[in-house]
Amino acid sequence: MDRMDHTPHQTNRSAQEQAREHAAHERDQHGHGAGGASWGTAAKATAHCLTGCALGEILGMVIGTALMWNNVPTMVLAIALAFLFGYSFTLYAVRRAGLSLRAAIRVALAADTVSIAIMELVDNLIIALTPGALDAHLSDGLFWSALLGGFVVAFFITTPVNKWMIGRGKGHAVAHAYH
């Protein structure tokens, strides 16, 4: 079986061009067809992104709640940290593959922005719409169930989006070209 070389390519091709080529190779090698990436690939990409988002968001919610901030500054901090942590996971991985910091930032932005934005929108809507969740304290089960439940729902909503994007050489496929 032919295996794809996963070392960074030293050409002038853009990260998106490499990602499209990689997505086409994945379809050819793994039988995903013209419709896109496999559900397993999309779920792995979503879980990777969700890990960074969750760490950042939980840290932001814990800090804001512990400092007894109002809801808006707490959510702003949580969202900012979710993006920061989400991007940093990808930055770390693609920097290890040999990309310059500037190129790695471009890859992380292309790979994660849509995924993180959807997850944050869904998760924070669930928290905001769960009665009492915004007023819950760190010791309340409601605080944790709304937060973690939001992540579960966000995962299931974001996975099909990531599947569609990866199948077209966009989103996480851009970073996957460097793995």
Side-chain angles (χ1 to χ4, degrees):
M1 178 178 182
D2 181 31
R3 305 231 0 119
M4 181 167 181
D5 178 15
H6 287 284
T7 59
H9 302 281
Q10 301 299 323
T11 68
N12 291 330
R13 293 180 307 139
S14 73
Q16 274 199 321
E17 288 170 333
Q18 291 179 36
R20 280 189 208 100
E21 180 181 289
H22 185 73
H25 173 80
E26 290 291 313
R27 284 192 299 274
D28 293 344
Q29 292 296 314
H30 303 291
H32 301 316
S38 72
W39 284 106
T41 298
K44 285 179 189 174
T46 305
H48 177 266
C49 191
L50 182 62
T51 302
C53 287
L55 288 173
E57 182 149 346
I58 289 170
L59 182 61
M61 290 293 210
V62 167
I63 290 170
T65 302
L67 295 175
M68 293 187 267
W69 287 358
N70 291 330
N71 295 330
V72 172
T74 298
M75 289 182 106
V76 168
L77 176 63
I79 292 168
L81 290 177
F83 274 92
L84 180 68
F85 277 70
Y87 287 141
S88 68
F89 276 35
T90 299
L91 276 172
Y92 177 75
V94 297
R95 288 281 292 153
R96 282 186 52 214
L99 265 66
S100 69
L101 180 59
R102 184 176 178 171
I105 289 170
R106 283 194 305 255
V107 168
L109 291 172
D112 294 336
T113 300
V114 171
S115 186
I116 295 171
I118 292 170
M119 282 190 254
E120 286 305 298
L121 177 67
V122 170
D123 184 53
N124 283 286
L125 274 173
I126 288 173
I127 293 167
L129 296 175
T130 301
L134 288 173
D135 297 321
H137 297 283
L138 293 175
S139 60
D140 293 338
L142 180 60
F143 174 89
W144 294 103
S145 63
L147 185 60
L148 299 177
F151 292 142
V152 170
V153 174
F155 175 84
F156 285 108
I157 290 174
T158 307
T159 299
V161 174
N162 282 334
K163 181 183 184 307
W164 181 84
M165 290 177 63
I166 293 167
R168 282 148 189 81
K170 299 182 183 304
H172 291 275
V174 176
H176 191 71
Y178 296 98
H179 291 209

